[in-house]
């Protein structure tokens, strides 16, 4: 199945998504109906596991939206189980060396590009594919591999990480990155401005798109102007909380 998200990014288009941290397929469906290009089902900070995220992936497919899963860590088993239930791709936190990036690609891709374990699961439409070789080719082409730049260690070797064949996108986590620099939450501190600019330059040097987390529409537009094309807007719980606060304030004040 074609990964529309990957195709849009390859054309240089800006794509907009949001993090889904709550175990709720309805929220995924609502995000798709609202017009998001993709969602990131977050199993790092959320309670999801391969069994529960299957229904969230189905909800995304129902509404024509690609679903990326942020995994908990870059082990072969974690990546395998996440992709086998049908994720369009993975986002991997704390990729701080080219060796880790190489492992992530190796675990996410089938032969001849990697060593992903073979089994006819949901990702291969339960075996309703022309053949194993054809499915391997399809999966290797369409599965997105996104690595996080959220630590100064990773930033220092990001040119090498971004150059790894099979890494599709560099995602900047500004809050974790600011914490790594000892200025937690100060994402527009001069040190962070320089760091984010460096990360964007590394992605561009490798000819790959860059993504970033944003907390407001204004910030999203500014990051697009800066050169980011994969915009991850807030999280489901924060969006709901903000809406609830606004309603209560609007009625009571």
């Amino acid at each position: 199945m074609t990964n529309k998200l990957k195709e849009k990014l390859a054309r240089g288009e800006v794509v907009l998504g949001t993090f889904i941290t709550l175990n709720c397929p309805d929220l995924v469906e609502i995000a798709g109906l609202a017009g998001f290009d993709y969602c990131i089902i977050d199993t790092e900070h959320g309670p999801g596991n391969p069994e529960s995220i299957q229904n969230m992936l189905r909800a995304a497919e129902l509404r024509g939206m690609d679903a990326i899963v942020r995994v908990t860590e870059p082990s072969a088993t974690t990546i395998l189980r996440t992709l086998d239930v049908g994720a369009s791709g993975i986002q991997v936190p704390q990729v701080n060396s080219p060796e880790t990036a190489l492992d992530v690609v190796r675990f996410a891709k089938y032969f001849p590009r990697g060593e992903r374990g073979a089994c006819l699961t949901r990702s291969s439409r339960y075996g309703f594919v022309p053949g194993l070789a054809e499915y391997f080719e399809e999966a290797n082409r369409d599965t997105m591999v996104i690595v996080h730049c959220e630590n100064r260690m990773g930033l220092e070797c990001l040119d090498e990480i971004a150059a790894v064949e099979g890494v599709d996108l560099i995602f900047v986590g500004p809050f974790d990155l600011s914490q790594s620099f000892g200025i937690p939450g100060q994402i527009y501190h001069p040190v962070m401005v320089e760091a984010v600019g460096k990360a964007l330059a590394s992605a561009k040097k490798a000819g790959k798109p860059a993504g970033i987390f944003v907390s407001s529409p204004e910030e999203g537009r500014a990051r697009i102007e800066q050169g980011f094309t994969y915009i991850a807007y807030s999280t489901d719980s924060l969006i709901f909380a903000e809406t609830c606060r606004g309603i209560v304030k609007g009625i009571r004040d």
Side-chain angles (χ1 to χ4, degrees):
M1 298 181 70
T2 302
N3 189 322
K4 294 181 293 182
L5 178 64
K6 195 170 183 179
E7 289 185 343
K8 288 176 182 178
L9 288 164
R11 293 193 296 265
E13 296 179 26
V14 172
V15 295
L16 179 62
T18 187
F19 279 93
I20 303 292
T21 62
L22 304 176
N23 184 10
C24 183
D26 303 79
L27 290 176
V28 174
E29 200 173 346
I30 289 167
L33 287 166
F36 282 103
D37 298 290
Y38 68 96
C39 68
I40 304 163
I41 300 171
D42 192 352
T43 66
E44 183 191 20
H45 292 293
N49 57 52
E51 182 177 12
S52 66
I53 67 174
Q54 281 192 100
N55 288 328
M56 300 167 82
L57 294 168
R58 290 186 178 107
E61 292 167 12
L62 175 65
R63 298 304 177 182
M65 179 175 62
D66 283 295
I68 305 297
V69 176
R70 176 156 70 174
V71 296
T72 54
E73 39 80 34
S75 73
T77 299
T78 296
I79 291 171
L80 173 67
R81 297 185 75 207
T82 300
L83 292 176
D84 273 3
V85 294
S88 297
I90 51 170
Q91 271 187 223
V92 186
Q94 296 292 341
V95 176
N96 296 322
S97 72
E99 291 78 17
T100 301
L102 283 164
D103 281 344
V104 167
V105 173
R106 184 160 55 89
F107 300 152
K109 302 292 184 178
Y110 291 111
F111 178 87
R113 298 183 62 187
E115 302 172 2
R116 177 178 167 186
C119 185
L120 296 177
T121 58
R122 183 171 187 273
S123 62
S124 60
R125 302 183 286 285
Y126 305 104
F128 286 90
V129 290
L132 202 58
E134 291 85 353
Y135 166 64
F136 281 4
E137 183 179 353
E138 172 193 303
N140 283 349
R141 180 189 68 238
D142 290 341
T143 300
M144 286 195 71
V145 174
I146 300 168
V147 298
H148 279 225
C149 174
E150 54 188 355
N151 189 294
R152 61 190 303 174
M153 290 189 300
L155 184 64
E156 288 169 3
C157 57
L158 193 57
D159 281 355
E160 291 85 356
I161 292 171
V164 169
E165 184 179 358
V167 168
D168 295 302
L169 187 144
I170 303 299
F171 184 83
V172 179
F175 287 95
D176 280 330
L177 190 56
S178 70
Q179 182 168 251
S180 176
F181 276 104
I183 45 174
Q186 300 180 55
I187 64 171
Y188 289 102
H189 186 283
V191 169
M192 278 297 297
V193 171
E194 181 181 357
V196 170
K198 181 179 178 182
L200 181 59
S202 291
K204 287 186 175 181
K205 181 180 178 181
K208 295 173 182 177
I212 196 166
F213 178 88
V214 301
S215 302
S216 70
E218 295 76 20
E219 187 180 13
R221 288 192 292 268
R223 292 304 194 188
I224 293 168
E225 186 71 23
Q226 190 177 358
F228 289 93
T229 55
Y230 180 90
I231 305 299
Y233 184 90
S234 195
T235 72
D236 50 359
S237 57
L238 289 175
I239 291 169
F240 183 65
E242 182 180 4
T243 301
C244 287
R245 278 196 301 266
I247 291 169
V248 173
K249 180 177 176 59
I251 293 174
R252 286 184 171 167
D253 289 358

